[in-house]
Amino acid sequence: MKKVVLAFSGGLDTSFCCIYLSKELGLEIHSVVVNTGGFSADELRAIEERAYALGVKSHSTIDETENYYRDTIKYLIFGNVLKNATYPLSVSAERVCQATAIANYAKKIGASCVAHGSTGAGNDQVRFDMIFNTLIPGVEIITPIRDLKLSREEEIAYLAKHGVEINAEKAKYSINKGLWGTSVGGAETLTSNKYLPETAWPTPVTSSEPQTVTIDFVKGEPVALNGDQVGAVKVIQQLQDLAQPYGIGRDIHVGDTIIGIKGRVGFEAAGPLIIIKAHHTLEKHTLTKWQLSWKDQISGFYGNYMHEGQMHDPVMRDMEAFLRSAQETVTGRVIIELHPYRFIVVGIESEHDLMSTKFGSYGEMNEGYTGDDVKGFAKIFGNQTIIWHKVNQGGTE
């Protein structure tokens, strides 16, 4: 019997895949859940129990949380990456990590097939397929939901026919939780004019009293929350736990999919959005204008290429080298205030702060040059524009 490694979450799509791969294709199923920081121990146990109840031969949990941060999230922070100035790549970055781990697991157990529950309308199908084609080129890729063009209602009916009950109300929304945020998809996100209802958001709003938090960065990495040196992963998780109950970080992203259609997805990502804003503020104090300018250009490309699943292209390593280098002086503390549905970056403290009173105060005074220096500089700096206007007699009047 041929082995198939199934990327498994325990949700509707992957539950369907379990039954279909076994009953219709006669494959020996080895399910894998890749934890990228979104599952509790209890949730992982429930997923394992569900997998065995659906008839898998074996089930494995691969914890990639630290690797996910080290190889991916770290550079999204360095680059202040927000897709379309909105979305912190909560799912797209995660899928790259998961697909890579699944490919490596398939090689480890000698599977002849891999399967995933992506539909034919989204980005995940491209990310998974492309990474599998790159890392395990001889392994067959099976995608039942995409190939059969199934609706969620048809999946629920098929599972019921095979004795598997699915809560239809719960299945209305597709929830994907990871270290870098949670995505929410449902009927509203398939439209252009509807917002997700309060009940669709995984975290209810329960916090209302403002509070101040601090994040310490060392060379661009968040290492401490409120002075507690817990490391980057714990900072992200603990900040998320503190800020998400305020309703901070909820939004709907509208973007261009890899396959050329527009798509909408809801997300809640209080921790990522606060960290990116805090990090960017610290950078604006500690980097030169040309470092910031080139970072913006490189980060935009890096984020888009990451979103499209191209993490294994060597150009990504080249850009990561630049981003790492640019973080040498991005060390300091950022103070943030949390409020219902919003946050404020109060300011920063850093020994690398270029906004130093030793050199002057903007709009007030300076210590590094004289007024005569500025007169000469202004003439030289505008010299070519002055020449153009003289040659062309004032331009196009």
Side-chain angles (χ1 to χ4, degrees), residues 364-377:
E364 300 278 337
M365 54 181 274
N366 71 78
E367 303 292 342
Y369 49 85
T370 68
D372 287 338
D373 292 334
V374 177
K375 291 177 185 178
F377 171 73

Side-chain angles (χ1 to χ4, degrees), residues 80-89 251-255 267 273 276 300 304:
N80 308 310
V81 174
L82 291 174
K83 177 75 171 169
N84 290 9
T86 303
Y87 178 51
L89 301 187
D251 207 344
I252 291 184
H253 168 57
V254 183
F267 66 90
L273 290 179
I276 286 173
N304 283 330

Side-chain angles (χ1 to χ4, degrees), residues 9-17 145 152-153 155-156 159 166 171:
S9 67
L12 173 62
D13 294 334
T14 55
S15 295
F16 175 91
C17 288
I145 310 298
R152 297 178 76 79
E153 291 73 21
E155 292 178 61
I156 291 170
L159 287 170
I166 294 286

Side-chain angles (χ1 to χ4, degrees), residues 160-348:
K161 188 175 74 172
H162 288 87
V164 179
E165 293 301 321
I166 294 286
N167 185 324
E169 187 63 27
K170 187 177 180 182
K172 281 175 60 176
Y173 292 98
S174 176
I175 309 292
N176 187 91
K177 185 179 179 184
L179 180 62
W180 206 230
T182 301
S183 70
V184 185
E188 294 84 3
T189 58
L190 299 176
T191 72
S192 297
N193 64 345
K194 293 180 182 178
Y195 198 72
L196 289 164
E198 187 67 27
T199 53
W201 299 105
T203 308
V205 176
T206 56
S207 297
S208 59
E209 289 299 315
Q211 68 171 303
T212 299
V213 299
T214 63
I215 305 173
D216 293 348
F217 292 87
V218 174
K219 294 187 177 182
E221 297 193 58
V223 298
L225 182 66
N226 292 332
D228 191 6
Q229 300 272 340
V230 292
V233 169
K234 287 280 197 302
V235 168
I236 296 167
Q237 291 172 330
Q238 291 177 9
L239 181 60
Q240 184 76 356
D241 290 342
L242 273 178
Q244 200 64 65
Y246 283 92
I248 294 169
R250 290 179 175 185
D251 207 344
I252 291 184
H253 168 57
V254 183
D256 298 292
T257 66
I258 304 168
I259 56 175
I261 61 175
K262 296 284 185 182
R264 286 177 97 217
V265 64
F267 66 90
E268 56 172 43
L273 290 179
I274 292 170
I275 287 170
I276 286 173
K277 184 69 173 177
H279 175 265
H280 193 202
T281 302
L282 183 60
E283 280 192 328
K284 287 188 284 187
H285 280 265
T286 58
L287 298 184
T288 67
K289 70 176 181 179
W290 291 116
Q291 283 180 300
L292 290 166
S293 176
W294 280 104
K295 275 191 74 267
D296 284 346
Q297 295 176 62
I298 287 173
S299 299
F301 183 92
Y302 186 87
N304 283 330
Y305 225 38
M306 169 81 74
H307 176 72
E308 294 180 353
Q310 292 281 9
M311 193 59 177
H312 294 285
D313 189 314
V315 74
M316 300 295 273
R317 309 292 84 75
D318 300 332
M319 289 185 283
E320 288 164 0
F322 175 88
L323 292 172
R324 275 196 309 274
S325 175
Q327 300 302 297
E328 282 298 312
T329 60
V330 187
T331 295
R333 170 168 289 183
V334 184
I335 305 103
I336 302 113
E337 286 182 2
L338 307 181
H339 299 266
Y341 300 103
R342 65 188 177 93
F343 66 94
I344 301 168
V345 177
V346 176
I348 70 105

Side-chain angles (χ1 to χ4, degrees), residues 5 98-108 114 131-132 135-136:
V5 170
Q98 292 170 330
T100 300
I102 290 163
N104 291 333
Y105 185 78
K107 281 193 284 190
K108 177 182 173 182
V114 288
I131 289 171
F132 292 158
L135 300 182
I136 45 174

